[in-house]
Amino acid sequence: MRAEAFHVQPPTTSPLQSTEQKLQLPESAKSLSRRKIVGQLASLVLCPIVAGATPAVASDEAYVRTPSPNDKFKFSYTVTPSPSFEPGNKPLKTHLDEINFSIPDVRGYTLGVTVDPVRISSIKDFGTPEEVAARVVTAEVNRDGVFEVTLAKDPVEDSAGCYDIEYISDGKRGKKRFATRIYIQDGFLYVLTVQSKEAE
């Protein structure tokens, strides 16, 4: 769907969009369940939108990334985390675009979106879900301080063409579970990653 003047509509059937669900967090961080956090975060909305205009009004909860006229790369996306999550950036930028969301008083739970330009038009050009999962696991295990990485479940391709990969990383900072959703659209690789503590 094309952007209209001063108003951007996400595609009605975005490949990265799933049913929006609000994350209800209890007052006490001790009562958080890893399964609850990962399950609810994985259902957040992430949808690339057509570049060209800034939305007139964004949802109170939505983070909308639109290009400025001076940006060399023209891409856009919207991600709608729970109101409990606040945006922040890593000290060192490693992607064309990246944003992280976390719960201020709760450690170990994050949601991140990265965007990078690619020369392929489909994630299938990069490989099957299993081949892409192998590359993701290899990249993770090669990170400093990571001892072992295992797939938590078989990687899958959904009906919209996204690859969903879930894995467990064991390292100096403990065991963490990652759920990723990977998609390519209009020459950009979009990766949504949810991280939680494995022990809970």
Side-chain angles (χ1 to χ4, degrees), residues 16-185:
L16 293 180
Q17 183 173 358
S18 58
T19 304
E20 182 176 350
Q21 182 178 23
K22 294 185 182 199
L23 179 62
Q24 301 299 323
L25 292 174
E27 293 297 320
S28 169
K30 294 180 181 176
S31 64
L32 289 176
S33 155
R34 177 193 54 79
R35 286 182 191 246
K36 181 177 180 183
I37 295 290
V38 170
Q40 290 183 338
L41 284 178
S43 69
L44 296 172
V45 175
L46 171 67
C47 52
I49 54 180
V50 178
T54 303
V57 179
S59 163
D60 289 339
E61 299 174 18
Y63 172 84
V64 180
R65 169 62 165 96
T66 56
S68 73
N70 297 331
D71 285 349
K72 177 181 176 182
F73 296 100
K74 304 293 183 188
F75 64 90
S76 298
Y77 61 88
T78 299
V79 62
T80 306
S82 167
S84 303
F85 282 74
E86 294 182 1
N89 291 311
K90 295 190 306 186
L92 179 64
K93 184 176 174 181
T94 57
H95 299 275
L96 173 65
D97 188 71
E98 55 191 302
I99 184 76
N100 291 313
F101 298 87
S102 60
I103 307 169
D105 298 327
V106 181
R107 295 181 56 132
Y109 299 96
T110 60
L111 165 77
V113 178
T114 63
V115 182
D116 289 294
V118 291
R119 294 182 180 174
I120 57 178
S121 60
S122 168
I123 190 70
K124 291 179 183 180
D125 296 338
F126 199 56
T128 65
E130 293 79 13
E131 291 169 336
V132 172
R135 292 178 184 187
V136 169
V137 166
T138 300
E140 179 70 15
V141 81
N142 287 329
R143 291 181 61 206
D144 188 37
V146 175
F147 310 133
E148 180 182 37
V149 179
T150 56
L151 286 174
K153 50 172 79 167
D154 291 338
V156 295
E157 177 182 2
D158 70 8
S159 61
C162 296
Y163 285 4
D164 292 329
I165 301 165
E166 194 169 330
Y167 60 94
I168 299 166
S169 177
D170 189 5
K172 289 191 290 190
R173 297 183 181 178
K175 278 191 176 183
K176 298 177 183 177
R177 180 174 290 251
F178 294 85
T180 62
R181 173 159 273 216
I182 304 170
Y183 185 70
I184 292 177
Q185 180 176 322

